[in-house]
Amino acid sequence: KAGVTQTPRYLIKTRGQQVTLSCSPISGHRSVSWYQQTPGQGLQFLFEYFSETQRNKGNFPGRFSGRQFSNSRSEMNVSTLELGDSALYLCASSSGQGFGNTIYFGEGSWLTVV
Amino acid sequence: AQSVTQLDSQVPVFEEAPVELRCNYSSSVSVYLFWYVQYPNQGLQLLLKYLSGSTLVKGINGFEAEFNKSQTSFHLRKPSVHISDTAEYFCAVSERGRDDKIIFGKGTRLHILP
């Protein structure tokens, strides 16, 4: 069974640009969540989607948005990039709502903003 | 609201020695508890989880953790570490019946010394 797949793995963007990251969950998983990982802040929760609906949202500005499609694939978008957005963005999927279920992580997308 | 504190940002330990990585949490309700491991340039992988039942939880790669409700702790232990255990370890908590958002600690980097 294929794991969580994230694309692209690495990308470099310029301040002010926007970026879209993609995540394909494990087959059959309906919940997808996104995290930002930086050396200073650790892992921070961005948002969670279940069956195309956003269930939870972390404390990030409106420049960070996401969506989930009917096939459970998810995208997150960051507009008007800032240097501080440089981070590893991790996607995770699980079979059900909530986190009593095990969540499985992808290998992440490394974003560098210059 | 729940929170997670990993008391050590880095832990050096000699190969074949025992190790304990400490984790304390704060919550006003019952919780689920997790330990994840992140190897270099990879996403997070579940080591073990506590949902209910026995307070001693065994995970992969010889790791185990003990849930201590009175001390609100979930420390991770391994009796004999190997060089391949070099990684960052994250403790995480999710509150039952709440918005099920999972909160991660800031991580503990385990350095195995030869």
Side-chain angles (χ1 to χ4, degrees):
Chain A
K1 199 170 182 181
V4 178
T5 304
Q6 292 187 245
T7 57
R9 289 294 317 278
Y10 304 91
L11 66 165
I12 301 173
K13 291 286 188 178
T14 305
R15 266 184 305 176
Q17 286 186 313
Q18 73 164 13
V19 66
T20 299
L21 308 178
S22 180
C23 173
S24 293
I26 291 173
S27 177
H29 284 190
R30 295 166 64 191
S31 172
V32 173
S33 51
W34 289 88
Y35 295 83
Q36 182 195 64
Q37 185 178 18
T38 58
Q41 297 297 320
L43 272 166
Q44 292 188 285
F45 173 77
L46 281 157
F47 24 67
E48 184 209 355
Y49 288 87
F50 183 85
S51 294
E52 301 180 66
T53 301
Q54 186 181 89
R55 257 175 39 94
N56 290 300
K57 191 176 192 304
N59 295 322
F60 279 81
R63 301 185 296 107
F64 292 80
S65 64
R67 58 179 175 168
Q68 187 181 32
F69 302 96
S70 58
N71 61 359
S72 293
R73 192 176 69 83
S74 177
E75 289 181 348
M76 66 162 283
N77 183 277
V78 187
S79 62
T80 320
L81 284 165
E82 301 176 359
L83 295 179
D85 297 332
S86 295
L88 176 65
Y89 290 88
L90 291 164
C91 171
S93 75
S94 74
S95 59
Q97 290 177 286
F99 290 97
N101 297 294
T102 300
I103 60 173
Y104 297 87
F105 284 84
E107 294 193 326
S109 293
W110 287 94
L111 171 64
T112 301
V113 182
V114 298
Chain B
Q2 74 266 43
S3 66
V4 180
T5 303
Q6 292 186 242
L7 296 161
D8 306 296
S9 59
Q10 297 191 61
V11 172
V13 61
F14 286 103
E15 197 169 12
E16 298 184 8
V19 68
E20 178 180 84
L21 305 183
R22 297 180 292 171
C23 172
N24 286 88
Y25 69 92
S26 172
S27 174
S28 57
V29 301
S30 296
V31 296
Y32 303 121
L33 294 158
F34 307 83
W35 274 99
Y36 281 83
V37 59
Q38 185 177 33
Y39 298 106
N41 299 316
Q42 295 187 25
L44 278 71
Q45 178 183 357
L46 180 71
L47 267 180
L48 47 80
K49 62 182 177 181
Y50 171 78
L51 301 183
S52 64
S54 173
T55 58
L56 182 63
V57 181
K58 292 190 184 297
I60 62 171
N61 301 339
F63 284 92
E64 65 180 32
E66 185 153 21
F67 169 55
N68 188 318
K69 188 175 180 179
S70 63
Q71 297 186 0
T72 60
S73 69
F74 191 56
H75 300 334
L76 180 71
R77 301 186 186 98
K78 186 170 182 178
S80 176
V81 296
H82 188 266
I83 195 74
S84 59
D85 294 321
T86 298
E88 189 152 21
Y89 293 79
F90 293 89
C91 182
V93 62
S94 175
E95 290 185 329
R96 300 184 190 209
R98 295 290 175 90
D99 62 7
D100 290 326
K101 195 164 53 179
I102 187 168
I103 303 297
F104 285 84
K106 290 194 179 296
T108 297
R109 195 168 292 277
L110 180 61
H111 294 282
I112 308 300
L113 307 171

